Amino acid sequence: MRPGILNRLCAAALGVSVLASAAPAADTSRAAGPHMMVLPHFEPELPAAPGRDEFMMACLSCHSARYVTMQPLFSEQKWAETVDKMAKVYGAQMDAAQRQAIIGYVVAFNQRVAGLGAASDGDDQPETSATVPSYEETTPALPLAAAAPGQAAEIQRGAALFQNNCAACHGPTGRGDGWVAPALWRQPDDLAATRYSRPWLARVFWNGRRGTAMPSWRGLSPSDLAALASYVQTLHPPTTPEQPSAASLERGRQLFVQDCATCHGVAGDGLGPAAANHFPQPANFKLKQPDTALILKVLRDGIPGTAMPSWPQQLSAADRSVVAGYVRSLFDPPVGDPTR
Amino acid sequence: MVKKHAFSPGEGLNRRAFVRWLGAAGAGTLLGPLPARAGAPARGPADQLVRFPGKTDLILRVDRPPQLETPLAYFREELTPNEAFYVRWHLEGIPTAVDLNEFRLRLGGHVERPLTLSVAELRRQFEPVSLVAVNQCSGNSRSFFEPRVPGGQWKNGAMGNARWTGVPLRVLLDRAGVKAGAVEVSFGGLDRPALAATPKFGKALALDHARDGEVMVAYEMNGAELPLLNGFPLRLVVPGWYATYWVKALNEIQVLSERFTGFWMATAYRIPNTADGNESPDHPATQTVPINRMSLRSLFVRPEPGERVPANAPFELQGVAFDGGSGIRGVEVSTDGGATWRTARLDRDLGRYSWRRWRLTWQPPGAGTYHLRVRAVSQAGQEQTARLWNRGGYMRNVIEQTDVEAE
């Protein structure tokens, strides 16, 4: 045996004995730091059919639609039992009308996938048709009364509701860093980085966000939803409004119309001609106002898992800054909204 | 990084073809429809192979939360490689980051001295023990139930055999000092639900079972740390019992002075209170009990479904057999639909909780379709049944049948 190897063996033996006797705080014999992973996603396409929106809102919070696509052909009664189990046992959020729509949808979805013959081309990705009316358009949101001035008790109640219902994904302080967030396909909003108007929160609480894990929360009472909205509005710190020059706003408007309006709409209401096919739907800047830093981040990186691309190839840093100023100027909550 | 698994040298059989097949079927690739076994419905989408962190290509059942199945070919080995071991989580919030400097196992409840232990302390302060045991999902092979039942639509790959290393739970309980009056021990992990209304995952064992000296808090699997997707850093090992009890990312052990009433024992994972967990679809059992010890099984690993064999030439039939801990006495194979049976050779014994690999050299006496069957007898004298059904799709252990074409 060569001396070098012998020395190393001695050192190794010594190391072991030192480890055993000195009892260091951390396990130095292996990688003691964080072990991490990023989960991939293989979420199936959802065929366009009545009830798709309700299915997206109630079911995808907790699991991929592969829970449906892997099942063999089942009867409507069997699917009704399954949907009821999801609601009663696991707490899936749905009212009676949503329940009926979900059952109809999974029955059709299941027939479409499980009905495929073995001799088919093996493609389990049903095509998506373009013409499904927007759920937000057909289902009005529950109006949420604003908290009366000084209603700290309501905000406190909202905070408790938030911890119980929202913190798992959005995090204890609403920063979008909840325990469940890393497993999600599309990441929860950082609620401190955007100013949300009351109508926006009402719409999202009532209808959920299709294409994300955000369910609809019709199981909560209107007064609970109002308290929750009051609390969420406190998460965004007050900021001093910036005053871009008229020239800058005009330049921003031109860029927005040219590059953003196809999806976000000329008015910035998220209802551009290409919006209907995107889940989640493009942001409505009239009802929510992201911070400049967030807009710049999104323009730089895009939003993974959505149709929002990154823009550095098309827009210079100066142009992106001008677009951010214009986007923020679009915020136009209704009269009386505390964010106005 | 995914470590490419190398087959053991003694297992040259078809190795190149298998590695080629793995290489060709990269993440996200759709394979052609795999032929289902005789009797199983050949409808539905084809199996798709995907690659998750720390894992080789596995069959995608569900991506979120992950349910990934081991391809049958990995069962040609005694131990199932960590990177090929199946994955099954219940709740959306699975642990994606664990820092060993912060992670602690807590043992408390009805004890004299509650314990808080790091993984380093578990490794350093206790004598390690090792044991080879099958880990099998309660719903393994559910897709072969007829009539079909809802749930994870597994074929036979929601199982694996591994060498587990860790600390006997009894040693930890003794250090904590179980108080008089304790009846059960409950277990929880790092996984959490997305919705507050969803019950957190948790299981329980009777105190005597928890103290049997074999139930283990494992920190190694096949001599390496567990993959995150298989429960890093600690996993409860309950030899001979279905994997629902093998709580992953174990961080909480509670000694209870009353029966555990959590959802995952009281409502989920229940089986009919009948012999072998059998019930009729028309007359479901009225009494149920928590699923528990694994039933006796024997399975074909070769031929694979749809594999063709040469006529008038020797072919080695292969498979595995295991039960809930008595061990395997013998395995018999029929190549004529059950009319006659031959005794298979058993590979070496790795312990009564391990599976036992079996082989039988068979020469198809001509071209045509052969109806193969396999059945095992346990050391306890248990035999397999011809038929089993229950509403949960649990504990499948019928005498397996497969058809093979000789040409």
Side-chain angles (χ1 to χ4, degrees):
Chain A
M1 188 181 282
R2 284 182 293 136
I5 291 176
L6 192 63
N7 284 347
R8 258 177 277 155
L9 282 176
C10 289
L14 190 65
V16 167
S17 65
V18 166
L19 191 69
S21 57
D27 182 351
T28 53
S29 63
R30 301 165 188 269
H35 287 56
M36 289 181 280
M37 63 177 169
V38 177
L39 293 168
H41 291 280
F42 302 91
E43 308 255 350
E45 289 288 320
L46 303 177
R52 179 170 71 171
D53 293 338
E54 290 85 344
F55 173 81
M56 281 186 180
M57 294 180 314
C59 307
L60 300 185
S61 305
C62 298
H63 61 77
S64 153
R66 286 194 183 272
Y67 264 94
V68 176
T69 59
M70 77 166 159
Q71 301 302 330
L73 198 57
F74 285 131
S75 66
E76 181 169 352
Q77 185 199 333
K78 185 62 83 179
W79 280 113
E81 287 170 11
T82 301
V83 171
D84 287 343
K85 177 177 165 190
M86 293 298 134
K88 288 177 183 144
V89 176
Y90 297 104
Q93 299 285 314
M94 65 187 80
D95 64 17
Q98 288 172 317
R99 169 188 176 273
Q100 208 52 50
I102 290 165
I103 292 168
Y105 184 72
V106 290
V107 167
F109 194 1
N110 177 228
Q111 285 173 351
R112 184 149 181 177
V113 177
L116 288 175
S120 83
D121 59 6
D123 179 9
D124 69 340
Q125 308 278 302
E127 76 278 11
T128 309
S129 118
T131 52
V132 183
S134 161
Y135 193 89
E136 281 93 349
E137 288 161 27
T138 56
T139 311
L142 177 77
L144 293 182
Q151 279 203 346
E154 165 151 316
I155 289 170
Q156 207 170 5
R157 196 162 63 84
L161 286 161
F162 185 90
Q163 291 306 323
N164 198 30
N165 293 299
C166 317
C169 294
H170 287 285
T173 57
R175 301 308 303 261
D177 56 355
W179 175 266
V180 170
L184 294 179
W185 183 20
R186 287 155 181 164
Q187 288 301 292
D189 275 7
D190 174 351
L191 303 175
T194 295
R195 186 190 305 264
Y196 298 98
S197 71
R198 214 122 178 125
W200 174 262
L201 293 174
R203 179 182 294 188
V204 172
F205 290 172
W206 193 244
N207 293 323
R209 285 278 279 157
R210 291 174 302 158
T212 77
M214 180 72 183
S216 79
W217 290 96
R218 298 182 190 187
L220 296 182
S221 71
S223 74
D224 280 354
L225 291 175
L228 205 45
S230 299
Y231 172 69
V232 169
Q233 287 185 317
T234 68
L235 294 174
H236 184 261
T239 49
T240 328
E242 60 270 46
Q243 300 288 341
S245 69
S248 170
L249 282 178
E250 175 54 21
R251 169 77 181 142
R253 190 191 65 79
Q254 287 170 7
L255 289 169
F256 187 87
V257 168
Q258 173 189 307
D259 290 327
C260 317
T262 312
C263 294
H264 289 283
V266 173
D269 55 7
L271 294 175
N277 290 329
H278 294 319
F279 304 112
Q281 290 213 285
N284 178 341
F285 298 120
K286 292 170 81 84
L287 296 182
K288 66 175 188 179
Q289 186 185 43
D291 287 353
T292 303
L294 176 58
I295 298 173
L296 291 177
K297 179 179 186 302
V298 168
L299 286 172
R300 190 189 66 213
D301 302 337
I303 304 179
T306 78
M308 180 67 190
S310 65
W311 287 92
Q313 300 297 322
Q314 292 85 3
L315 294 176
S316 67
D319 280 351
R320 280 179 267 145
S321 182
V322 165
V323 168
Y326 178 72
V327 164
R328 284 180 55 76
S329 77
L330 294 169
F331 189 57
D332 185 24
V335 175
D337 195 277
T339 52
R340 192 177 170 91
Chain B
M1 289 298 291
V2 175
K3 191 178 70 181
K4 196 74 183 175
H5 171 68
F7 273 67
S8 58
E11 200 63 55
L13 188 77
N14 237 7
R15 169 177 171 264
R16 281 194 199 91
F18 181 61
V19 170
R20 257 202 319 277
W21 172 71
L22 280 182
T29 310
L30 274 175
L31 290 178
L34 296 181
R37 298 190 311 186
R43 298 170 71 80
D47 284 347
Q48 181 183 351
L49 292 178
V50 295
R51 189 171 289 188
F52 270 61
K55 290 283 157 183
T56 189
D57 296 327
L58 299 177
I59 301 166
L60 175 64
R61 295 284 167 241
V62 183
D63 56 329
R64 177 172 64 90
Q67 295 190 32
L68 310 171
E69 178 165 342
T70 303
L72 202 56
Y74 286 104
F75 303 147
R76 298 178 189 182
E77 299 181 69
E78 287 180 332
L79 300 180
T80 314
N82 288 5
E83 62 268 33
F85 216 91
Y86 82 101
V87 172
R88 194 267 189 265
W89 291 86
H90 299 85
L91 303 174
E92 174 121 280
I94 73 173
T96 53
V98 176
D99 186 343
L100 288 187
N101 291 324
E102 293 174 9
F103 176 89
R104 294 293 181 273
L105 171 68
R106 294 194 160 75
L107 194 164
H110 205 62
V111 296
E112 305 287 351
R113 300 168 296 276
L115 304 181
T116 301
L117 294 163
S118 69
V119 175
E121 288 167 333
L122 269 177
R123 286 179 176 274
R124 201 168 51 235
Q125 296 180 11
F126 302 91
E127 191 67 31
V129 294
S130 283
L131 145 127
V132 177
V134 172
N135 170 294
Q136 182 187 214
C137 176
S138 308
N140 191 25
S141 317
R142 181 181 284 121
S143 68
F144 300 122
F145 272 64
E146 194 60 49
R148 300 285 295 267
V149 295
Q153 297 299 322
W154 303 104
K155 292 177 181 170
N156 288 336
M159 63 175 188
N161 196 40
R163 184 183 307 280
W164 309 92
T165 301
V167 181
L169 179 59
R170 180 173 65 193
V171 173
L172 299 178
L173 291 171
D174 286 351
R175 179 176 290 193
V178 174
K179 287 184 184 170
V183 293
E184 287 194 351
V185 183
S186 71
F187 307 91
L190 293 174
D191 49 334
R192 296 182 205 170
L195 301 179
T198 307
K200 188 182 183 304
F201 191 74
K203 301 296 285 190
L205 297 173
L207 180 64
D208 287 349
H209 187 183
R211 302 185 59 157
D212 71 358
E214 290 181 321
V215 174
M216 179 199 300
V217 174
Y219 46 71
E220 278 186 13
M221 176 178 175
N222 293 328
E225 59 190 23
L226 290 95
L228 269 170
L229 284 167
N230 291 110
F232 178 85
L234 301 176
R235 183 164 195 178
L236 190 70
V237 168
V238 188
W241 281 43
Y242 283 99
T244 181
Y245 291 95
W246 299 44
V247 173
K248 295 183 287 297
L250 175 73
N251 73 335
E252 190 190 358
I253 300 174
Q254 286 282 318
V255 178
L256 306 174
S257 57
E258 294 177 347
R259 294 283 303 274
F260 181 75
T261 55
F263 165 81
W264 298 95
M265 291 294 292
T267 308
Y269 285 105
R270 306 278 295 191
I271 56 169
N273 189 13
T274 58
D276 300 333
N278 203 0
E279 68 184 330
S280 152
D282 302 325
H283 301 96
T286 52
Q287 301 289 315
T288 63
V289 295
I291 196 168
N292 47 80
R293 193 172 287 283
M294 289 196 290
S295 301
L296 172 68
R297 291 198 82 172
S298 54
L299 295 138
F300 285 103
V301 171
R302 287 200 81 188
E304 297 209 8
E307 186 175 356
R308 287 165 182 266
V309 303
N312 304 306
F315 179 84
E316 188 177 65
L317 303 170
Q318 286 189 30
V320 298
F322 58 93
D323 77 339
S326 83
I328 296 302
R329 180 183 295 168
V331 173
E332 292 182 319
V333 178
S334 172
T335 55
D336 53 13
T340 61
W341 296 84
R342 292 169 60 199
T343 302
R345 304 193 302 282
L346 299 182
D347 280 10
R348 63 177 175 154
D349 187 353
L350 297 174
R352 61 198 181 98
Y353 294 111
S354 167
W355 67 31
R356 197 82 188 261
R357 289 185 35 77
W358 60 261
R359 302 163 194 266
L360 180 69
T361 304
W362 166 59
Q363 182 159 322
T369 303
Y370 293 87
H371 308 293
L372 309 185
R373 294 186 183 184
V374 62
R375 67 187 184 192
V377 179
S378 73
Q379 294 287 6
Q382 194 188 4
E383 296 181 6
Q384 292 184 247
T385 54
R387 179 164 174 78
L388 173 123
W389 188 91
N390 54 59
R391 74 200 89 165
Y394 295 136
M395 305 174 76
R396 179 177 161 94
N397 78 325
V398 300
I399 295 168
E400 294 291 331
Q401 309 182 27
T402 189
D403 286 356
V404 64
E405 294 286 334
E407 58 185 21

